[in-house]
């Protein structure tokens, strides 16, 4: 933990700044996941090629839909993998936080990519009804069955890190969902074999689109919120403000900001009014430690103000 105290002239009056890093305990994705991304990408890319080929041979929109979705997941894995690598770069030049926020952009791009993919799948499935073709149900079942195995194996690669990194959790959930989608395609193939009703195939495709759309909307919403620097889910600025206001000697809290530095790290800045005078570096260091432990704040910057009669130019809620 690092705590520093510097005196600056602010709005014509001296104020104290307390600045701390939460022990630099940032939650970067472990480098070991590079291998998981490599294996998962290779497995799924190979399967996409095989599934698309058999989808064309069998005339199955469900297989082609699943292949299209899996292709978007391959691209998603590559994007998340790249963002993980960029996030580990050290701060330099204009990028004073490094490239940590690339993980947020990766999540946003993945959401848009999925929307495009499911739109194409939906259009193709609907067009089938205007020009129906025979579907080889047995082939559909076999190929989709292989997909269950591959998607489950890939999901297991990311299970260990799903609680510590949003990108890794996203990869895990995508692969786990894909295993379920492939299971749905197997059921569709079985029903076609048993009933001979080929319309089951495009209907299954539309169901796949609906399932993926639900998850995509959640990903899009969260990534847009993070891009707009909204406080991360689970971090309540009002609770943090209340916590800070109850610290010894603190008479007021203003200019509080909480925002995501990346999909795994949260930053905070706040002004604390302490009329009794600056309480020392230990005070700031302890608050920074508590912010990390209680609220998951990785990078906290606190400005201590000691003169209650001097209005801080940032005290108004209308000023950012």
């Amino acid at each position: 933990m690092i705590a520093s105290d510097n005196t600056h002239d602010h709005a014509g009056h001296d104020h104290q700044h307390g600045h701390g890093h939460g022990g630099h305990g940032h939650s970067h994705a472990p480098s070991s996941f590079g291998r998981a991304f490599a294996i998962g990408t290779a497995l799924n890319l190979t399967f996409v090629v095989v599934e698309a080929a058999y989808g064309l041979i069998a005339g199955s929109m469900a297989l082609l839909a699943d292949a299209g979705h899996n292709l978007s997941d391959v691209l998603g894995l590559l994007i998340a993998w790249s963002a993980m690598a960029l996030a580990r770069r050290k701060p330099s030049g204009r990028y004073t936080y490094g490239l940590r926020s690339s993980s947020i952009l990766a999540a946003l791009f993945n959401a848009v990519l999925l929307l495009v993919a499911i739109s194409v799948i939906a259009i193709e499935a609907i067009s089938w009804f205007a020009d129906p073709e025979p579907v080889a149900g047995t082939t559909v079942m076999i190929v989709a069955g292989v997909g269950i195995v591959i998607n489950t194996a890939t999901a297991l690669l990311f299970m260990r890190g799903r609680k510590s990194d949003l990108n890794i959790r996203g990869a895990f959930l995508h692969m786990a969902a894909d295993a379920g989608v492939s299971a749905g395609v197997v059921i569709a193939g079985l029903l076609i074999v048993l009933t001979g009703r080929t319309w089951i195939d495009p209907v299954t495709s539309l169901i796949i689109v609906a399932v993926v759309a639900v998850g995509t909307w959640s990903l899009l919403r969260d990534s847009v919120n993070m891009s707009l620097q909204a406080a991360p889910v689970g971090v309540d600025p009002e609770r943090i403000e209340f916590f800070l206001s109850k610290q010894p000697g603190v008479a007021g809290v203003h200019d509080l900001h909480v925002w995501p530095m990346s999909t795994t790290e949260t930053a905070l800045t706040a002004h604390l009014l302490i009329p009794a005078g600056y309480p020392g570096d230990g005070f700031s260091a302890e608050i920074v430690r508590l912010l990390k432990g209680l609220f998951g704040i990785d990078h906290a910057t606190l400005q201590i103000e000691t003169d209650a009669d001097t209005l801080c130019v940032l005290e108004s809620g209308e000023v950012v």
Side-chain angles (χ1 to χ4, degrees):
M1 184 181 301
I2 299 173
S4 61
D5 173 35
N6 301 298
T7 302
H8 294 266
D9 184 67
H10 184 62
H13 192 85
D14 288 340
H15 296 272
Q16 301 285 345
H17 293 251
H19 174 220
H21 292 259
H24 291 279
H26 304 319
S27 304
H28 296 302
S31 58
S32 60
F33 282 102
R35 175 178 292 183
F37 276 113
I39 294 174
T41 300
L43 284 174
N44 280 271
L45 186 58
T46 300
F47 179 63
V48 164
V49 174
V50 173
E51 187 174 33
Y54 275 97
L56 292 172
I57 294 171
S60 169
M61 273 308 307
L63 275 182
L64 291 175
D66 198 33
H69 180 215
N70 280 323
L71 178 59
S72 70
D73 282 340
V74 169
L75 295 178
L77 286 174
L78 290 173
I79 292 168
W81 188 5
S82 300
M84 186 187 73
L86 290 173
R88 290 199 299 267
R89 288 193 176 184
K90 295 181 179 180
S92 63
R94 296 169 58 196
Y95 301 98
T96 56
Y97 276 136
L99 298 176
R100 288 173 170 82
S101 60
S102 60
S103 58
I104 299 175
L105 295 178
L108 179 58
F109 188 83
N110 271 328
V112 174
L113 182 65
L114 281 167
L115 285 176
V116 172
I118 62 177
S119 296
V120 172
I121 292 170
I123 292 172
E124 289 297 322
I126 293 173
S127 67
W128 184 95
F129 289 101
D131 186 20
E133 297 180 2
V135 177
T138 301
T139 301
V140 170
M141 284 192 295
I142 294 173
V143 177
V146 175
I148 295 175
V149 174
I150 290 178
N151 288 320
T152 300
T154 305
L156 291 175
L157 292 173
F158 299 104
M159 180 177 289
R160 178 167 57 89
R162 71 188 189 281
K163 294 182 179 180
S164 61
D165 185 281
L166 184 61
N167 268 336
I168 292 176
R169 183 161 76 246
F172 169 80
L173 291 175
H174 269 297
M175 294 300 108
D178 283 350
V181 168
S182 294
V185 175
V186 169
I187 294 173
L190 178 61
L191 291 175
I192 291 172
V193 170
L194 294 176
T195 66
R197 297 176 180 176
T198 55
W199 57 262
I200 293 174
D201 185 82
V203 168
T204 301
S205 298
L206 293 175
I207 293 174
I208 291 173
V209 167
V211 171
V212 176
V214 172
T216 301
W217 169 250
S218 175
L219 178 62
L220 179 64
R221 179 196 62 212
D222 291 344
S223 59
V224 167
N225 283 337
M226 295 188 83
S227 298
L228 295 174
Q229 297 188 326
V233 175
V235 179
D236 186 347
E238 291 186 359
R239 285 187 59 206
I240 295 175
E241 182 174 2
F242 179 78
F243 163 78
L244 292 174
S245 69
K246 295 302 179 182
Q247 296 309 300
V250 176
V253 179
H254 60 272
D255 199 38
L256 172 67
H257 298 281
V258 183
W259 73 97
M261 296 170 62
S262 70
T263 53
T264 61
E265 299 169 276
T266 303
L268 172 148
T269 60
H271 291 204
L272 307 182
L273 176 61
I274 304 180
Y278 184 68
D281 290 348
F283 173 84
S284 299
E286 177 63 12
I287 291 183
V288 167
R289 185 187 69 80
L290 291 172
L291 286 171
K292 172 66 175 178
L294 296 175
F295 303 102
I297 304 299
D298 301 277
H299 187 115
T301 302
L302 303 173
Q303 175 170 309
I304 308 300
E305 299 171 357
T306 60
D307 191 342
D309 295 326
T310 301
L311 180 66
C312 173
V313 295
L314 296 177
E315 185 170 356
S316 170
E318 302 298 322
V319 179
V320 178

